[in-house]
Amino acid sequence: MRKPIIAGNWKMNNTIAATKALVTDLIPLVKGAKSEVVICTPYTDLATAAELVKGTNIHLGAENVHWAESGAFTGEISADMLVELGVEYVIIGHSERRQYFGETDETVNKRVKAALAKGLKPIICVGETLEQREKNRVKSVLKKQTIGAFQDVTEEDLANIVIAYEPVWAIGTGKTATAQDANDTIKIIRNQIAKLYNRKAANKLRIQYGGSMKPANAAELMAMKEIDGGLIGGASLKAADFAKIVKYYEA
Ligand code: 13P
């Protein structure tokens, strides 16, 4: 009952020229996919990508959004600016932003509320570091991140939210969580959502796995009961690889 959602996170990759080439290659490859297809691009590529994906089954996302409506925030981008370009999804709280750019659970929550207020659909990222995993703190870390992100978010809002569980140690490292491990950890997050809202709401919420997901492991991960999709970094930069993940069910 939860529609699978495969989203590419391009991170800081692709010029406008590269965007044109990649999206043009991708469109026929993902046509007719059973999964929802999203590409999250750098701000500078959004207008180009928006034009190209018009009338296709590819949805557009950004990689961040500021919480203020407008004002003196040099270098930042507002939700209105994204909406105007045809952006539908926005990644919020990616571990790289938490690690390098001072993102906290509090700022994640501010961004989530600002995005929802303008009709953008947040893809909220949570996940533990290797150190936290080794110290058996996975559950407490995910609980804290989840409670923090969902402060003042209503049950109705959940229909427009996706969570991405991305263990930091699996991002860009080639190390994937085992399908069972990813499934069990996502279950912890879903249980936390059930505690914050209720079981029915939690069962409707889509939760992705992210971290070295690729054509070779997508089908196995997607076969797990709790895993509703993927947030794909490196493999989303190659049209053929990303399309194979989108059509994981054909493998
Ligand atoms: P990789 O797929 O490159 O490991 O990146 C995952 C990620 O961070 C997606 O947001």
Side-chain angles (χ1 to χ4, degrees):
M1 76 183 189
R2 299 188 295 259
K3 182 169 181 165
I5 176 166
I6 306 291
N9 173 10
W10 287 8
K11 308 192 178 183
M12 195 173 74
N13 292 292
N14 291 332
T15 58
I16 288 174
T19 298
K20 281 184 188 158
L22 177 51
V23 177
T24 305
D25 285 348
L26 192 61
I27 290 169
L29 296 177
V30 299
K31 197 174 171 215
K34 283 189 219 162
S35 348
E36 188 172 345
V37 191
V38 185
I39 53 171
C40 301
T41 84
Y43 293 135
T44 49
D45 296 329
L46 287 169
T48 304
E51 203 51 49
L52 290 167
V53 302
K54 247 181 221 163
T56 75
N57 61 327
I58 301 176
H59 300 251
L60 188 61
E63 299 177 17
N64 193 19
V65 62
H66 197 263
W67 53 82
E69 287 234 357
S70 62
F73 299 101
T74 303
E76 294 299 317
I77 297 287
S78 74
D80 280 333
M81 294 169 184
L82 297 178
V83 169
E84 187 182 40
L85 287 176
V87 171
E88 183 180 342
Y89 285 93
V90 59
I91 297 171
I92 295 177
H94 191 278
S95 63
E96 285 148 19
R97 298 219 59 89
R98 293 180 193 256
Q99 191 179 350
Y100 306 126
F101 302 102
E103 188 86 81
T104 64
D105 294 333
E106 192 189 352
T107 55
V108 166
N109 179 245
K110 286 168 122 178
R111 294 183 208 280
V112 166
K113 287 187 286 191
L116 289 168
K118 299 293 181 178
L120 289 170
K121 299 173 181 169
I123 298 176
I124 302 173
C125 300
V126 297
E128 82 285 357
T129 62
L130 185 58
E131 195 192 352
Q132 290 164 336
R133 173 159 282 252
E134 284 170 348
K135 288 184 177 158
N136 279 325
R137 290 182 49 214
V138 176
K139 203 168 171 176
S140 64
V141 167
L142 293 176
K143 181 177 174 183
K144 184 175 166 288
Q145 291 177 345
T146 308
I147 290 175
F150 284 81
Q151 205 79 45
D152 303 318
V153 171
T154 68
E155 188 180 335
E156 294 75 68
D157 287 331
L158 294 188
N160 294 316
I161 293 177
V162 174
I163 294 181
Y165 165 59
E166 300 203 308
V168 178
W169 47 271
I171 295 177
T173 58
K175 285 186 202 157
T176 323
T178 64
Q180 190 62 52
D181 217 1
N183 187 76
D184 295 348
T185 313
I186 287 178
K187 199 166 189 173
I188 294 172
I189 300 167
R190 199 179 298 287
N191 287 342
Q192 188 57 50
I193 294 293
K195 264 191 210 159
L196 290 176
Y197 299 90
N198 55 68
R199 178 53 60 183
K200 198 173 157 207
N203 285 346
K204 277 198 240 166
L205 182 70
R206 293 185 293 179
I207 308 183
Q208 299 170 314
Y209 167 78
S212 300
M213 202 161 155
K214 48 186 182 265
N217 58 28
E220 189 192 357
L221 287 159
M222 291 301 294
M224 303 307 290
K225 191 165 165 263
E226 298 292 338
I227 304 180
D228 305 317
L231 187 56
I232 322 298
S236 73
L237 301 174
K238 291 187 184 134
D241 283 356
F242 187 60
K244 278 185 199 146
I245 301 173
V246 165
K247 296 192 171 175
Y248 63 89
Y249 47 84
E250 287 181 354

